[in-house]
Amino acid sequence: MISRRALPRALLLPVLLAGLTTGCVAGEDATTAAAPAAGELRIDYAYYNPLSLVIREQRWLEQDLKGTKVTWVLSAGSNKANENLRGDAIDLGSTAGAAALQARANGTPIKAVTVYTKPEWAALVVAKGSPITKVNQLKGKKVAATKGTDPYFFLLQSLKAAGLAGTDVEVVNLQHADGKTALERGDVDAWAGLDPLMAQSQIESGSTLIHREPEFNSYGFLNAREDFVKEHPELVQAVADAYERAREWVGEHPDEAVALLAREAKLAPEVAGVVLKERTEVDLSPVPGADQRAVLERILPTLVEENQVRSAEEARAALDSLFEPAFAQKASAS
């Protein structure tokens, strides 16, 4: 089920589809919002972040923050969430932990305020009938990946473990949904996949996961712009509280959570079930701390070696200053 007791120390892959709308009013979706007026909260939702779907569906923030305009923005991937945080288009956004570290190391002033899942949302995928069965067979091949996201960092770590470098493959930089399409059309040899798109490709198109390594996946982080944390801590706390409410809701309503993901992401229920019940751990501490740091410590050298951060010193400083645990600590204690 969707808890530590029911899941095998879960896994998750994550996923994304884009298609944002404009011209929002309170509670509607938007691609980009103007600079926030007093009493406005701009927050993302993502198909790789199941708790965000619950909060948006239940309208808890709209109900609890009377007089505050709540604007929801769809994130198609960690890279898009970071772009919107960097561009001051949203106040809080969902990313993988590695993507948050990379963004802060490269100058995006964000803080990780809560952990929403421990997923196995990334793996290396080949199309049905592909002769490729091992990572080292990818040398010289085309691999679709979304740079700045966990699947891309998963690819780099997997190549390194197989004795290869990022330059040994031709990375075709595509958003996750486009990477899936490119794989199934035969335009690339492999894809660094993300759930739920990855599970969909497995079940509906016969694609094969040739390499899985749960420890190469980083946690799901909800990040806030640093200035927003300082100026509106009460809104950040309200969001952290809503996330804990959603965590409890998912644990109590696993089938409804699957149905919600299937409906929102336009997935078959079977696909949504694989993602949430087999590869996503929701019942975990929301407080960013030692467990998350340990994962990022393992990933950091690869980010440096593959020039994904400006310097090792900045990456280390970013890791030392990324977490803002007080909001999740208060939310989980209440």
Side-chain angles (χ1 to χ4, degrees):
M1 313 214 61
I2 311 176
S3 73
R4 275 176 299 200
R5 296 176 295 279
L7 283 175
R9 197 116 181 120
L11 317 158
L12 167 220
L13 313 99
V15 62
L16 320 152
L17 323 168
L20 315 178
T21 59
T22 57
C24 75
V25 295
E28 288 189 341
D29 300 341
T31 48
T32 305
E40 182 178 10
L41 171 66
R42 303 166 303 170
I43 184 170
D44 82 342
Y45 68 105
Y47 305 136
Y48 53 90
N49 178 354
L51 302 188
S52 72
L53 301 181
V54 173
I55 297 167
R56 178 170 172 266
E57 171 81 6
Q58 298 292 328
R59 298 184 62 82
W60 290 329
L61 290 173
E62 289 83 352
Q63 295 164 18
D64 294 344
L65 299 174
K66 298 297 185 183
T68 298
K69 177 181 178 181
V70 180
T71 299
W72 291 93
V73 178
L74 176 65
S75 287
S78 293
N79 61 322
K80 295 301 182 182
N82 277 328
E83 285 176 16
N84 281 333
L85 286 164
R86 184 165 52 250
D88 193 18
I90 58 176
D91 304 309
L92 295 103
S94 314
T95 74
L101 173 61
Q102 182 200 33
R104 186 166 178 87
N106 290 333
T108 302
I110 56 173
K111 288 284 192 175
V113 297
T114 194
V115 177
Y116 55 86
T117 58
K118 182 184 180 184
E120 187 202 352
W121 52 23
L124 298 185
V125 190
V126 297
K128 181 179 181 180
S130 171
I132 298 172
T133 59
K134 298 179 180 179
V135 176
N136 58 16
Q137 293 174 308
L138 294 176
K139 186 173 183 178
K141 304 295 186 181
K142 292 183 178 181
V143 183
T146 308
K147 290 187 176 181
T149 69
D150 234 26
Y152 178 61
F153 301 133
F154 183 95
L155 169 64
L156 295 181
Q157 293 175 88
S158 299
L159 291 172
K160 181 180 179 181
L164 301 175
T167 53
D168 287 321
V169 302
E170 179 182 345
V171 176
V172 181
N173 187 22
L174 297 171
Q175 201 60 47
H176 300 293
D178 297 327
K180 171 180 175 292
T181 299
L183 178 76
E184 294 172 355
R185 287 180 177 174
D187 296 334
V188 295
D189 301 292
W191 169 46
L194 175 72
D195 268 341
L197 295 171
M198 184 163 64
Q200 185 180 43
S201 190
Q202 280 183 275
I203 292 171
E204 298 180 0
S205 300
S207 298
T208 302
L209 307 188
I210 62 164
H211 185 64
R212 297 175 66 174
E213 178 48 72
E215 296 307 315
F216 286 177
N217 291 258
S218 59
Y219 288 76
F221 284 13
L222 183 70
N223 309 300
R225 292 192 348 268
E226 204 162 1
D227 61 345
F228 190 79
V229 172
K230 293 176 181 177
E231 294 168 10
H232 301 288
E234 75 288 351
L235 293 182
V236 178
Q237 189 63 61
V239 173
D241 292 346
Y243 263 77
E244 287 315 285
R245 187 175 178 182
R247 194 184 309 279
E248 182 178 350
W249 188 94
V250 170
E252 294 174 351
H253 305 86
D255 293 334
E256 290 93 329
V258 168
L260 174 60
L261 175 60
R263 182 171 67 253
E264 289 291 318
K266 297 179 174 57
L267 301 170
E270 180 184 4
V271 173
V274 168
V275 172
L276 280 183
K277 293 188 174 183
E278 297 180 21
R279 300 200 287 227
T280 304
E281 182 177 354
V282 171
D283 185 14
L284 75 167
S285 171
V287 181
D291 289 345
Q292 291 73 37
R293 184 182 178 97
V295 172
L296 296 181
E297 289 273 10
R298 290 195 297 270
I299 295 173
L300 192 151
T302 302
L303 299 185
V304 174
E305 291 167 12
E306 296 292 338
N307 298 312
Q308 297 301 305
V309 291
R310 295 184 300 203
S311 71
E313 294 74 19
E314 286 175 296
R316 176 61 57 183
L319 180 55
D320 290 341
S321 60
L322 178 60
F323 300 158
E324 189 73 50
F327 298 102
Q329 287 170 342
K330 184 175 180 180
S332 60
S334 61

